[in-house]
Amino acid sequence: MNDTKRFLIEVKGLVEGVGFRPFVYRVAKKLGLGGWVKNDTKGVLIEVEGKESKIEEFLNTIKTLHPKASEILSIHISEIPSLGEKEFSILQSVKSKEKFPIIPPDIGICDKCREELLNRSDRRFLYPFINCTDCGPRFSIVEDVPYDRNNTSMKEFEMCPTCKEEYENIRSRRFHAQPIACFTCGPNISLLDANQSRVIERQDFSENGLRDYTRKTIIETSRLIFQGNIIALKGIGGFQLVCRADIDDVVRKLRTRKRREEKPFAVMFRRIKDIEDYCYISPKEREILSSYIAPIVLLRKKKNTKISELVAPRNPFLGCMLPYSPLHVLLMEEVKIPLVCTSGNISDEPICIDNDEALQRLMGIADYFLIHDRKIVRHVDDSVIRITPSGNSLLLRRARGFVPRPITLSRKLPNILAVGGHLKNTVAVSTDNYVILSQHIGDLETLESVKAFERSVNDLLRFYEIKPRYIVCDLHPDYYSTQFAEALSEKLEVPLLKVQHHLAHILSVTAENDSLGEKVIGVGWDGTGYGMDGEMWGSEFFLVSDGKFERVFHFLPIPLVGGEKAIREVYRIGIALLLLSSQLDEAERIFGNRSNFNQIVSMYKKGMYVKSCGAGRLFDGVSSILGISEHSNFEGQSAMELEFALYSSRESNVGEYEYEINGKTVDWRNIVIGIVKDLKDGVPRETISLKFHNTMVKIIEDCVSKIAKFSLCNKVALSGGVFQNSYILDTVIRRLEESGFSVMVNRKVPPNDGGISLGQVVYPLFISHRT
């Protein structure tokens, strides 16, 4: 009896450029199966033939033991006629009419490549671009799909015979590793000075000559760093500015040149055990730092370390990272000390990716340029993660290692383009039941940022051949993203949908948690968002159901004297909070020494201000009243420093301040009055900060409970920039869950504005629930 069968297996997901086809090949060969495997623009196609029991084992192995960087989103299996095929092979990739999100993210250097990189007997010893199917650049070098070498910037480098043999050898770890290269055939580095002249000349272009040149270049770069110079280093997804992290004058020089006043810099360490000398690391943080994603992880600093205080001023956390590219490894093995490693740009601009661009834009910031000749196709920043004390993972910036990994929904979406917001911009497209978010683009406040935004839109539409049925944007009429969407909608004759900012935040959570269309209580707290009434919202308690939403509660509006200026000069908010709380004398006592105090009071009395309901603005104002922070030199700084203060409180049972809920309005004035009283009574500001935070948690508890009482809803979604505050997040989740609520938060996208493109892209599906 012939029990041989043949099946066609269609695998969708993150299965290209991550060693998936070699893995399938080895499994099939081990089990004695016939057939083939190949990439196409939908994913991976497999035809496999043999005994049914062996095919079942084959499928189970693929599902459970696939490469760590791969992700299977779906497997479709259909029986087809047997061909009597006994051998298994890998076929060349083909294009199909349907495109699917299968572009892999950039992957940090694996342990085996790192070992070879530092092994004197290995032919890739010291080669700065060593990679295999388990690691290396992917998304940053892709020009088109499928992910094959001729569709990447590596097509400019023809493989030498030895690399080609590895590429074609199924037993090699570099079997079909698209960026495969070596000293003989691949890209190489150069060190340039400010005059664009080579610091070290190349003379011998043989393999040993280039290795020696690389060694000398790394040694010289290290020497220049020790002298206090700033190096522009071309990494995987763009240029980075690198310098010593232990000398104030060096860090101060970088801040001055980069025009980055106080926003923290990330620090690269040679090894995990080096980080332990400077920061506390939990097992979960250790795991994330060492993962193939290799993000920046915010860690609690130890006291009296040698890191300059100017790296992260008045901040108990340090953004730590490990070397994730071979070039980083070589440099860190030579310098051995922690280095500032920050984006290669002027503040608010995207990072540079092109050599000529970097030499132009970073001239005057960097003293030297460590470049290479592998083209970066698109900028990809480092991802940033924070683990809260309760173990909640906060994804603060979603970029390298994550993008363009698709987010899977349980329901299908039409083809949609969502253009995000203005700050921390990302864009997104949907196809079938997958959403693909772009890398972090940043604030759309410069020409360079706008260009990067437009490139990202074009990339996503082109890669996935998206002809949008809808274009979705924010309500704010002055956002560049909104204006772009309006123009594109008219050009393509496609319907334009505008989504209220905080609803998009809540929808991003429900989309992640497969609760889109269900009744949910949404808490959207941030600094600013354009409301349905044209006012500034940002302290929203929504009841969301049946494709509609109701704004049930919000904060008493906060006067921003000076408008946008008050968001940076937050003492203006502090004065206004006191004035609106009938605390003129206290306002004068706390802020009266300011030369513009009387002018601000006069403007307030004349009604010369903008109103904002943003919860973040209340945090800003309280921070200034306590004397913790009177200026925000970057978004959220004053609120962050207010949070940091509570960790120093020597008391824990501090209670809450009083407040009132009148109709739909949460009146915070008694909170301000209580804070003033505590200040006058000599209560430490750290304790006041803790008490204020507890009050914010109590407000969320109260408002959620009131909505639940009349709506009979026990599902809560939390999103918005305020929920980057780990104390607020952890405490709200714990208290609501203790009260019987099911709490959902962002985990796959940031809770800040970097996640709203996900909420926007699912909006057409949300409104389809309207009754």
Side-chain angles (χ1 to χ4, degrees), residues 422-451:
H422 184 69
L423 302 178
K424 298 180 173 65
N425 178 268
T426 61
V427 299
V429 294
S430 62
T431 178
D432 199 44
N433 59 327
Y434 304 105
V435 176
I436 308 96
L437 268 68
S438 73
Q439 72 275 36
H440 168 83
I441 297 168
D443 302 349
L444 302 184
E445 295 185 338
T446 66
L447 179 60
E448 294 299 330
S449 298
V450 165
K451 288 179 180 177

Side-chain angles (χ1 to χ4, degrees), residues 273 308 352 461 506 650 681 708 732:
K273 70 177 185 178
S308 168
C352 298
L461 294 179
I506 301 306
R650 295 182 179 180
D681 290 346
V732 168

Side-chain angles (χ1 to χ4, degrees), residues 171-185:
R171 292 177 294 277
S172 169
R173 200 174 77 255
R174 296 186 172 89
F175 179 60
H176 284 215
Q178 307 306 336
I180 187 172
C182 68
F183 278 114
T184 302
C185 63

Side-chain angles (χ1 to χ4, degrees), residues 736-752:
L736 288 179
E737 288 181 343
E738 287 173 352
S739 298
F741 289 98
S742 173
V743 184
M744 301 178 290
V745 297
N746 290 115
R747 299 192 188 279
K748 297 179 182 178
V749 300
N752 58 45

Side-chain angles (χ1 to χ4, degrees), residues 435-719:
V435 176
I436 308 96
L437 268 68
S438 73
Q439 72 275 36
H440 168 83
I441 297 168
D443 302 349
L444 302 184
E445 295 185 338
T446 66
L447 179 60
E448 294 299 330
S449 298
V450 165
K451 288 179 180 177
F453 163 81
E454 293 178 352
R455 284 195 299 269
S456 296
V457 170
N458 292 333
D459 270 352
L460 292 182
L461 294 179
R462 179 173 58 86
F463 280 146
Y464 306 106
E465 292 187 348
I466 299 291
K467 294 181 179 178
R469 183 174 167 189
Y470 300 101
I471 297 174
V472 191
C473 66
D474 194 271
L475 271 182
H476 202 301
D478 296 332
Y479 283 0
Y480 176 78
S481 57
T482 301
Q483 295 167 357
F484 174 88
E486 290 170 341
L488 187 61
S489 168
E490 184 176 345
K491 177 182 177 181
L492 300 180
E493 298 182 344
V494 171
L496 177 67
L497 301 175
K498 296 186 177 183
V499 189
Q500 201 281 320
H501 187 88
H502 303 97
L503 176 61
H505 272 305
I506 301 306
L507 293 182
S508 74
V509 178
T510 57
E512 274 195 47
N513 290 272
D514 199 22
S515 297
L516 197 65
E518 297 180 15
K519 184 185 290 186
V520 63
I521 300 168
V523 185
W525 276 21
D526 62 8
T528 301
Y530 196 79
M532 304 294 287
D533 54 5
E535 298 294 325
M536 293 299 176
W537 291 9
S539 52
E540 310 315 308
F541 292 92
F542 291 146
L543 179 61
V544 183
S545 64
D546 298 325
K548 296 172 288 190
F549 71 104
E550 177 187 356
R551 189 190 192 202
V552 184
F553 298 112
H554 59 83
F555 280 6
L556 178 74
I558 297 167
L560 305 183
V561 181
E564 289 285 328
K565 187 179 287 188
I567 296 174
R568 287 184 64 86
E569 299 175 3
V570 297
Y571 67 86
R572 292 171 176 267
I573 302 176
I575 293 170
L577 294 181
L578 292 166
L579 294 176
L580 194 57
S581 303
S582 303
Q583 301 290 304
L584 175 59
D585 290 346
E586 294 305 318
E588 188 167 8
R589 182 179 65 83
I590 297 171
F591 298 105
N593 61 343
R594 290 198 160 273
S595 60
N596 59 349
F597 174 77
N598 291 330
Q599 180 189 21
I600 291 171
V601 172
S602 176
M603 291 173 68
Y604 171 83
K605 289 180 177 179
K606 293 177 182 178
M608 298 172 63
Y609 51 74
V610 176
K611 293 181 180 179
S612 169
C613 292
R617 302 288 83 89
L618 186 60
F619 282 75
D620 290 342
V622 169
S623 186
S624 71
I625 290 171
L626 295 182
I628 291 172
S629 175
E630 296 192 350
H631 292 81
S632 275
N633 292 313
F634 58 90
E635 188 194 12
Q637 181 184 10
S638 296
M640 284 169 52
E641 293 184 3
L642 181 65
E643 176 197 351
F644 299 155
L646 73 85
Y647 298 124
S648 300
S649 176
R650 295 182 179 180
E651 300 183 49
S652 54
N653 298 319
V654 298
E656 301 101 12
Y657 291 108
E658 294 181 0
Y659 56 88
E660 294 181 359
I661 300 178
N662 299 316
K664 290 190 170 188
T665 303
V666 179
D667 190 333
W668 41 259
R669 287 177 291 187
N670 283 335
I671 299 174
V672 174
I673 292 170
I675 288 172
V676 168
K677 181 180 183 302
D678 278 352
L679 279 173
K680 292 173 74 173
D681 290 346
V683 177
R685 63 183 188 178
E686 295 81 8
T687 302
I688 296 174
S689 173
L690 177 58
K691 191 173 179 180
F692 170 76
H693 278 78
N694 286 344
T695 308
M696 295 297 101
V697 172
K698 186 66 165 58
I699 288 172
I700 293 175
E701 281 188 280
D702 279 357
C703 290
V704 166
S705 296
K706 288 178 185 296
I707 297 172
K709 191 171 183 179
F710 75 78
S711 68
L712 303 179
C713 177
N714 78 328
K715 278 195 170 184
V716 182
L718 310 174
S719 190

Side-chain angles (χ1 to χ4, degrees), residues 28 31-35 48-51 54-55 58 86-88:
L31 296 173
L33 298 171
V48 62
E49 183 166 350
K51 290 185 178 181
K54 292 291 185 181
I55 293 176
F58 171 80
K86 301 296 184 183
E87 295 298 319
F88 199 89

